[in-house]
Amino acid sequence: MGSSGKNVIIIADIEGSSGCFDYESSRYMGHGWPEACAAMSRDVDAVVRALFSAGAKTVAVKDFHRTGYNVLPEFVDSRAALVPGYRRGPVPGIGDAGGADALFMIGMHAPSGSGGFLAHTMTSRIKRLQVNGTLMSEAELFSASLAPYGVRPHFFSGCPAACRHAEGALPGMAVHEIEKFPPHGGFDPSAWRSELAEAAAMALDSDGAAPHDPCGPFHAEILMGDREEAARAAVRWGFRHEGGAVFIDAPDLRGIYSGLIRLCYFTPFVEKILPLALPLYGLYGRIGLAWVRGKLRKEHSV
């Protein structure tokens, strides 16, 4: 299929966006977070516009940073369908795949243990995550969660370490780098954003990577920073653990992803009350986004 008629889903994160150059800019209500949200939103808008110009039929945007409320809808082309917050399923976090054909991941970060900019997988509490002896990124987990629907990963942007890992893990997927470590005083976000949009449009017309559904079984070794937390989390879910490491076995990557979600975010009680917990967490996200708008208005009025 050419670019015409493709249904695109964008997963957007903030660490690899054009406005995040330190931890505080990624933190909920952190110093620099409002500007990072604005920049992330403009990055998304540039890609959305480029994809529609290149012939995409539909574009859905899933905000996947922290609360899932970082993208300012007023900054993004109204033709895109924004999906804030999180859904329980059928695709974890995303909900309905919506007939998507192509996956674009922008503003992403490198996996835990890689040494990339603000590198982590799922949570910074994980210091290193290996699956079958290889570092595992969120790009692979997201792609695997969408593989049953035939969604092909087409594009990824993030720091150089994130791009190198994603390119190796998902051959055939285009990548676009943003430098994070050198002083960024000379960084031109508008120019970089134009390059990002151009690269995304070109990627839409490619075949992309194959749906990411590698053959198992899979063995995950998760090294947590807090040994006591690792033990508690492992025991509550029945995972084997040793020292600060937790081990999860599954027949496919979707099983590993489900286990990681439980390990990192849930207790059995929270999982039972998800129909109530997710809307409450969404409210927390909307409060944060309202705070962002207030900060941006105040800064622009000075």
Side-chain angles (χ1 to χ4, degrees):
M1 180 187 291
S3 60
S4 179
K6 278 183 180 169
N7 297 303
V8 177
I9 182 167
I10 295 174
I11 292 179
D13 212 336
I14 208 168
E15 288 88 355
S17 70
S18 64
C20 181
F21 292 91
D22 55 39
Y23 172 74
E24 280 296 302
S25 296
S26 72
R27 185 174 66 84
Y28 180 87
M29 292 192 179
H31 178 71
W33 185 49
E35 293 78 10
C37 287
M40 176 185 177
S41 302
R42 292 187 177 102
D43 296 348
V44 167
D45 178 63
V47 171
V48 166
R49 291 178 184 276
L51 292 176
F52 277 121
S53 294
K57 182 180 178 182
T58 64
V59 179
V61 178
K62 177 69 199 79
D63 181 342
F64 233 103
H65 180 67
R66 292 189 182 263
T67 63
Y69 282 87
N70 305 269
V71 174
L72 294 149
E74 58 268 31
F75 283 35
V76 180
D77 190 306
S78 61
R79 291 175 292 177
L82 300 185
V83 187
Y86 296 105
R87 313 294 188 273
R88 185 173 185 179
V91 182
I94 295 172
D96 186 354
D101 307 302
L103 171 62
F104 282 60
M105 294 173 278
I106 65 172
M108 305 298 288
H109 49 77
S112 294
S114 69
F117 176 74
L118 296 181
H120 64 280
T121 307
M122 308 293 285
T123 171
S124 59
R125 301 194 311 277
I126 292 178
K127 299 306 177 185
R128 188 176 184 88
L129 168 61
Q130 289 184 301
V131 176
N132 290 1
T134 302
L135 292 181
M136 177 65 60
S137 69
E138 290 177 10
E140 296 159 85
L141 296 172
F142 295 154
S143 297
S145 72
L146 288 162
Y149 303 91
V151 181
R152 301 177 71 94
H154 276 247
F155 185 77
F156 177 101
S157 74
C159 75
C163 287
R164 286 194 299 271
H165 183 89
E167 198 172 25
L170 300 163
M173 181 180 68
V175 301
H176 188 72
E177 295 183 1
I178 181 169
E179 189 54 67
K180 291 286 182 175
F181 288 118
H184 58 277
F187 176 71
D188 184 342
S190 296
W192 178 84
R193 203 171 286 133
S194 295
E195 295 169 358
L196 172 73
E198 182 179 357
M202 290 178 63
L204 185 65
D205 202 32
S206 71
D207 290 333
H212 191 55
D213 194 14
C215 294
F218 293 96
H219 172 74
E221 181 176 345
I222 306 105
L223 180 63
M224 308 288 287
D226 186 320
R227 295 171 67 126
E228 292 183 1
E229 179 193 9
R232 288 194 302 269
V235 168
R236 73 169 60 108
W237 290 112
F239 297 141
R240 186 168 62 88
H241 68 96
E242 182 178 337
V246 179
F247 305 95
I248 300 175
D249 297 299
D252 52 41
L253 283 184
R254 290 178 293 283
I256 295 291
Y257 189 23
S258 295
L260 286 168
I261 290 171
R262 285 174 166 159
L263 180 72
C264 296
Y265 303 126
F266 296 158
T267 65
F269 174 73
V270 169
E271 189 174 54
K272 287 179 181 178
I273 64 165
L274 269 184
L276 174 63
L278 285 176
L280 289 175
Y281 194 57
L283 176 61
Y284 180 64
R286 289 193 293 274
I287 290 170
L289 201 56
W291 180 84
V292 164
R293 288 190 177 98
K295 288 290 186 179
L296 292 174
R297 281 195 297 267
K298 183 176 179 180
E299 289 173 9
H300 292 155
S301 66
V302 174

